[in-house]
Amino acid sequence: MSALWLMSLLAASPVAFENVRVEVGDGTVLERTTVVLQGGRIVAGKVALVTAGALRIDARGKVLTPGLIDARTQIGLAEVGLEKSANDERLRGMPISPAFRAADAFNPASVWIPVAREEGVTRAVVAPSGGILSGSGHWVDLTGNVGSAPDPTQPVALFGAVGSGAAEAALGSRGGLWMRLREVIADARFFARNR
């Protein structure tokens, strides 16, 4: 069953998956149960009664699970690896960019979102990369709708790296990286004391 076909079914209402094995996510397994979805949300489960007019799908031999979460991804930020204009996951040439927000660069129409949904990933933290301090990451629902863009005022975390790529960006040495990181932390502490 294709995820795109399934998503179009879920947009209609209601849909009943009958005889499905449900793995709840807490270790509970429900064998041969019915789950009713309406508008992409579960409205009935376990011993659900199928509502009139529902599209009924015999899901015998199939497994239904909660959506997976990708805790750090560039989905919606990077499209084609070798084409710079199709990638917004980093600010090139700026190893210190804590004000960069992945939410501002996120593309809710990314071609990779349906691929992630096909694999069961329904939510994610989109995070920038490529610097000592790369910027803030944001929570996103991978619906593929324009309205699903992350809220830029609600960052999840500040992302960064101290690997060899970040070291090259900071004066070309590991010592330079740590020097720049200490400077940034000192500046942040100074600002907090002297607003």
Side-chain angles (χ1 to χ4, degrees), residues 47-103:
V47 291
L49 298 174
V50 179
T51 57
L55 173 62
R56 300 170 75 159
I57 298 173
D58 184 4
R60 191 179 324 267
K62 304 292 183 190
V63 177
L64 186 64
T65 67
L68 301 174
I69 297 171
D70 190 335
R72 183 177 184 184
T73 183
Q74 277 81 44
I75 194 166
L77 302 178
E79 297 293 326
V80 181
L82 294 176
E83 177 53 48
K84 287 182 182 179
S85 67
N87 297 297
D88 289 324
E89 81 282 6
R90 70 181 65 202
L91 289 178
R92 285 163 186 76
M94 295 184 68
I96 308 289
S97 54
F100 179 73
R101 301 185 304 192

Side-chain angles (χ1 to χ4, degrees), residues 101-119:
R101 301 185 304 192
D104 294 334
F106 182 74
N107 174 12
S110 168
V111 298
W112 294 108
I113 292 174
V115 174
R117 284 195 315 254
E118 180 79 24
E119 297 298 324

